[in-house]
């Protein structure tokens, strides 16, 4: 319990003096009584409310409708998340004959010297003082040393760099976080465009994960960023838990199949989990030659663009409520008493600011 009084023995480390914390005042000869500050008292009251539905059905429904009527743009600050590619740099330099041979030899032995890695922008500066060589992997796409990539990575880190080559020309280098491996492929679509796709990790840990799939069109001067999709978005702690995973199913036309689910934990009923969404759909991405991007066709999709954003780590419960307003209201007015209670508990906690910490808060 927040603010509870505990005793300490002489063998344990004592807390800082109460006076230094601005709490109780005391003499050295007496043990001070526990007198929580007003801030701790407020936290205790807030904690006591967690696990309870503190609002009437009418109040909860009014709150739901008020968020449902707001435009999504007022509830989300990451609507343009898809326009942010990984860190990369355009190089556009040619390797001479000796350098090209050194690269081939390095691919054969899976290592290149630190100095050569620096020349190719494949070194990790923070490890330069600790290594003499850099581990690399040769990833062929088409032909032998025609269209290919070189991945460099330290043996003791999650970071990696991807260098894209056409023959002896180094086009560009990308900084990525592959985490558990780097799914990477290159293919020609029905219109003859050479498409490069890889998956990278943005965040992972403590029940949360955010993986993105990056698509590029291979052009003569380098790779042009054309699409970012959610490869895996998951959050498995708290009141709302969810997962969205996407996998490309076709290459002639860019089609991604998504599976998505959302559940609510009802801590007012012992922490039981109630799944309110469990579905899947395919989305076709058509190439817009003017914008030079793949654009999704949401027309026949079971999920909207705004709804996909609610699967990104960091959580935005107001956007979740706004974009799923109709579903939540249907359940609230339905006959499934357990799901009704779970939604009432969830919305009540949002109204009280218990979860998350205030509307629109990013955690």
């Amino acid at each position: 319990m927040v603010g509870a009084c505990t005793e300490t023995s002489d063998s344990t480390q004592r807390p800082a003096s109460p006076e230094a914390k601005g709490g109780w005042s005391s003499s050295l000869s007496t043990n001070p009584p526990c007198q929580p500050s007003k801030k701790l008292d407020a936290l205790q009251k807030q904690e006591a409310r967690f696990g309870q539905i503190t609002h009437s059905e009418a109040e909860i429904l009014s709150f739901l409708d008020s968020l449902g009527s707001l435009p999504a743009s007022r509830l989300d600050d990451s609507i343009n998340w898809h326009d942010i590619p990984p860190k990369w740099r355009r190089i556009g330099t040619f390797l001479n004959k000796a350098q090209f041979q050194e690269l081939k030899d390095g691919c054969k032995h899976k290592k290149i010297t630190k100095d050569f890695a620096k020349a190719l922008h494949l070194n990790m500066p923070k490890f330069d003082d600790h290594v003499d060589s850099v581990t690399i992997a040769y990833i062929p796409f088409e032909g032998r040393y025609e269209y290919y990539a070189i991945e460099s990575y330290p043996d003791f880190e999650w970071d990696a760099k991807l260098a894209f080559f056409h023959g002896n020309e180094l086009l560009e280098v990308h900084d990525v976080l592959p985490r558990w491996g780097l799914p990477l492929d290159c293919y020609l679509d029905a219109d003859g465009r050479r498409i490069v796709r890889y998956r990278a990790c943005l965040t992972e840990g403590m029940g949360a994960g955010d993986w993105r799939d990056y698509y590029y069109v291979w052009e003569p001067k380098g790779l042009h960023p054309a699409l970012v999709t959610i490869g895996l978005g998951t959050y498995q702690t708290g009141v709302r838990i969810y997962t969205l995973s996407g996998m490309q199913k076709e290459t002639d036309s860019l089609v991604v199949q998504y599976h998505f689910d959302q559940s609510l934990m009802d801590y007012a009923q012992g922490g039981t989990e109630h799944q309110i969404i469990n579905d899947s759909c395919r989305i076709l991405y058509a190439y817009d030659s003017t914008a030079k991007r793949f654009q999704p066709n949401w027309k026949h999709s079971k999920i909207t663009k705004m709804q996909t954003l609610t699967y990104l780590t960091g959580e935005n419960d107001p956007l979740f409520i706004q974009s799923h307003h109709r579903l939540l209201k249907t359940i609230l007015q339905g006959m499934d008493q357990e799901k009704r209670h779970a939604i009432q508990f969830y919305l009540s906690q949002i109204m009280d600011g218990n979860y998350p910490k205030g509307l629109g808060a990013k955690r």
Side-chain angles (χ1 to χ4, degrees), residues 111 122-128 130-131 133-136 151-161 176 178:
K111 284 186 181 294
L122 289 175
N123 63 307
M124 302 286 183
K126 60 182 176 180
F127 301 123
D128 283 347
H130 308 287
V131 299
S133 61
V134 174
T135 304
I136 64 171
E151 179 187 1
S152 73
Y153 51 92
D155 296 329
F156 41 82
E157 259 293 334
W158 296 114
D159 302 77
K161 288 180 181 285
V176 296

Side-chain angles (χ1 to χ4, degrees), residues 44-242:
Q44 285 179 313
K45 290 180 179 179
Q46 186 180 43
E47 187 178 79
R49 289 198 305 267
F50 189 82
Q52 301 178 12
I53 296 177
T54 56
H55 298 273
S56 67
E57 290 189 27
E59 290 173 332
I60 291 173
L61 187 59
S62 176
F63 172 74
L64 173 63
D65 287 339
S66 67
L67 277 182
S69 64
L70 291 177
S73 58
R74 288 187 56 187
L75 298 173
D76 185 74
D77 58 7
S78 61
I79 288 178
N80 294 320
W81 66 272
H82 55 282
D83 291 326
I84 306 174
K87 182 180 177 181
W88 62 283
R89 68 180 75 176
R90 185 69 51 83
I91 308 297
T93 60
F94 289 87
L95 277 61
N96 60 38
K97 186 175 181 180
Q99 289 174 322
F100 198 24
Q101 186 58 51
E102 185 176 357
L103 178 63
K104 293 178 181 179
D105 292 341
C107 292
K108 181 179 179 180
H109 297 96
K110 300 182 180 180
K111 284 186 181 294
I112 56 177
T113 67
K114 178 174 64 177
D115 290 339
F116 190 43
K118 286 183 178 180
L120 299 178
H121 304 277
L122 289 175
N123 63 307
M124 302 286 183
K126 60 182 176 180
F127 301 123
D128 283 347
D129 295 335
H130 308 287
V131 299
D132 296 320
S133 61
V134 174
T135 304
I136 64 171
Y138 168 63
I139 307 170
F141 297 140
E142 184 179 328
R144 185 162 179 79
Y145 294 103
E146 185 177 357
Y147 291 95
Y148 61 100
I150 301 293
E151 179 187 1
S152 73
Y153 51 92
D155 296 329
F156 41 82
E157 259 293 334
W158 296 114
D159 302 77
K161 288 180 181 285
L162 268 179
F164 292 92
F165 289 83
H166 182 206
N168 67 331
E169 183 182 7
L170 171 56
L171 297 171
E172 55 192 61
V173 176
H174 295 210
D175 293 345
V176 296
L177 183 65
R179 193 70 177 179
W180 305 113
L182 183 66
L184 170 68
D185 59 5
C186 180
Y187 62 91
L188 295 176
D189 67 9
D191 296 317
R193 282 180 291 267
R194 182 172 281 103
I195 309 298
V196 172
R197 180 198 63 173
Y198 61 78
R199 177 170 292 185
C201 178
L202 271 68
T203 58
E204 186 177 65
M206 298 297 291
D210 188 353
W211 297 69
R212 306 287 172 87
D213 288 342
Y214 298 91
Y215 293 83
Y216 298 84
V217 175
W218 196 310
E219 297 181 339
K221 293 184 179 181
L223 278 63
H224 180 78
L227 176 66
V228 183
T229 64
I230 303 175
L232 176 64
T234 181
Y235 195 82
Q236 298 297 325
T237 59
V239 176
R240 181 168 67 92
I241 60 179
Y242 55 80

Side-chain angles (χ1 to χ4, degrees), residues 260-274:
F260 44 95
D261 59 74
Q262 297 259 6
S263 298
L264 298 177
M265 299 295 292
D266 190 347
Y267 291 104
Q269 297 288 349
T272 53
E273 178 181 344
H274 300 279

Side-chain angles (χ1 to χ4, degrees), residues 310-338:
T310 67
Y311 290 86
L312 302 179
T313 55
E315 292 186 280
N316 189 329
D317 287 88
L319 182 64
F320 168 74
I321 296 168
Q322 190 273 348
S323 61
H324 294 84
H325 169 259
R326 182 179 299 178
L327 171 67
L328 296 175
K329 189 168 184 177
T330 298
I331 297 176
L332 276 179
Q333 296 175 334
M335 301 299 294
D336 190 322
Q337 297 299 321
E338 290 187 346

Side-chain angles (χ1 to χ4, degrees), residues 225-299:
L227 176 66
V228 183
T229 64
I230 303 175
L232 176 64
T234 181
Y235 195 82
Q236 298 297 325
T237 59
V239 176
R240 181 168 67 92
I241 60 179
Y242 55 80
T243 299
L244 181 144
S245 59
M247 182 173 292
Q248 186 175 356
K249 288 297 185 181
E250 299 178 23
T251 55
D252 285 347
S253 298
L254 205 166
V255 177
V256 178
Q257 179 162 332
Y258 293 97
H259 179 266
F260 44 95
D261 59 74
Q262 297 259 6
S263 298
L264 298 177
M265 299 295 292
D266 190 347
Y267 291 104
Q269 297 288 349
T272 53
E273 178 181 344
H274 300 279
Q275 190 173 71
I276 60 172
I277 299 173
N278 183 19
D279 213 335
S280 63
C281 68
R282 290 191 173 200
I283 296 180
L284 170 66
Y285 294 85
Y287 190 72
D288 183 335
S289 57
T290 302
K292 301 184 74 172
R293 296 189 63 87
F294 286 98
Q295 305 289 359
N297 182 355
W298 300 104
K299 186 174 181 181

Side-chain angles (χ1 to χ4, degrees), residues 1-8 15 21 24 33-37 40-41 43-44 47:
M1 175 67 69
V2 175
C5 296
T6 57
E7 295 181 356
T8 58
K21 291 185 176 181
W24 62 74
C34 182
Q35 296 177 353
S37 66
L40 283 178
D41 190 49
L43 288 173
Q44 285 179 313
E47 187 178 79

